Amino acid sequence: DIQMTQSPSSVSASVGDRVTITCRASQGISSWLAWYQQKPGKAPKLLIYAASSLQSGVPSRFSGSGSGTDFTLTISSLQPEDFATYYCQQANSFPHTFGQGTKLEIK
Amino acid sequence: QVQLVESGGGVVQPGGSLRLSCAASGFTFSSYGMHWVRQAPGKGLEWVAFIRYDGSNKYYADSVKGRFTISRDNSKNTLYLQMNSLRAEDTAVYYCAKDLTAVAGTDYWGQGTLVTVSS
């Protein structure tokens, strides 16, 4: 199985900051990576698919990059509604494993 | 609009069984693969199972293989997860989710249904 490792596990930031979250796959997954945002008590929401494609309706301050084994999610200017937990997921092969999550907290 | 509504969760004793359902609407259900994903209390997301649009292929996490069965009824726009030999570690919120494409992740999720395995 492909292991997905996110870093950091948690990050504190302020409104307006630029934040980057990293996801590393244990083997190459081409560009088959998705990023999700989850708020407490809610279902995850797809932000980015195929590593860098912005899901419809998602603000353009979210962007994704990478291919192979190393990927990043960047939020260019944090808004209050962005404080949440973020997960990466590989969709290259089954099982479609998730990273352990990155909790983005208000500084 | 796309809607996915899970049902069937509840409290079950270890070793027991439960069947979850996910009623889909707002899209052509028979054209899309579907997933089950779970989240234990206070923990991260765990992918559980996937079924292709026509039910021809199914895939499972090692943690549930041989105990859980994913199925679908395209005439009823409904996805199922039959869970047998339940363990305490299966306690989680179970989400059904619609596949975006085969390699792109899941674009719509239900609200989840809680399964608690406890004596």
Side-chain angles (χ1 to χ4, degrees):
Chain A
D1 296 358
I2 298 173
Q3 310 303 316
M4 305 301 293
T5 304
Q6 287 181 235
S7 61
S9 296
S10 65
V11 58
S12 295
S14 301
V15 173
D17 284 354
R18 179 184 182 91
V19 170
T20 297
I21 299 169
T22 296
C23 182
R24 175 164 286 175
S26 60
Q27 63 190 76
I29 59 169
S30 186
S31 295
W32 306 128
L33 184 99
W35 289 98
Y36 301 89
Q37 176 193 69
Q38 188 180 33
K39 296 181 179 179
K42 301 293 187 182
K45 173 187 174 183
L46 178 66
L47 301 174
I48 302 286
Y49 64 94
S52 60
S53 296
L54 192 68
Q55 172 68 350
S56 176
V58 175
S60 59
R61 63 181 180 272
F62 291 92
S63 64
S65 65
S67 66
T69 59
D70 294 314
F71 301 86
T72 59
L73 172 71
T74 299
I75 310 172
S76 60
S77 178
L78 276 172
Q79 298 302 300
E81 60 268 29
D82 299 338
F83 292 95
T85 300
Y86 293 83
Y87 294 92
C88 63
Q89 182 196 29
Q90 67 84 14
N92 181 74
S93 62
F94 291 104
H96 283 189
T97 40
F98 287 91
Q100 81 279 15
T102 295
K103 188 172 184 179
L104 177 52
E105 299 175 302
I106 301 173
K107 184 182 286 184
Chain B
Q1 71 282 18
V2 172
Q3 275 201 306
L4 297 169
V5 180
E6 301 96 336
S7 60
V11 180
V12 60
Q13 292 189 338
S17 298
L18 214 53
R19 188 177 84 155
L20 305 183
S21 299
C22 170
S25 61
F27 66 104
T28 306
F29 180 72
S30 58
S31 296
Y32 290 90
M34 296 293 296
H35 301 257
W36 287 100
V37 176
R38 69 183 180 183
Q39 187 168 35
K43 302 298 184 182
L45 300 171
E46 180 185 14
W47 177 86
V48 173
F50 171 78
I51 185 168
R52 293 207 186 278
Y53 69 97
D54 60 356
S56 59
N57 292 90
K58 305 173 185 181
Y59 302 89
Y60 299 93
D62 287 346
S63 58
V64 307
K65 201 173 294 182
R67 300 187 300 122
F68 289 13
T69 302
I70 189 172
S71 63
R72 65 191 297 158
D73 186 337
N74 285 346
S75 68
K76 296 182 178 179
N77 289 348
T78 303
L79 175 73
Y80 302 101
L81 186 67
Q82 177 67 43
M83 304 186 295
N84 298 331
S85 304
L86 283 161
R87 307 166 180 167
E89 54 266 34
D90 295 319
T91 294
V93 174
Y94 285 74
Y95 296 100
C96 66
K98 171 186 167 291
D99 206 37
L100 175 56
T101 73
V103 289
T106 51
D107 56 351
Y108 289 95
W109 295 60
Q111 84 288 351
T113 187
L114 177 62
V115 172
T116 302
V117 183
S118 173
S119 54

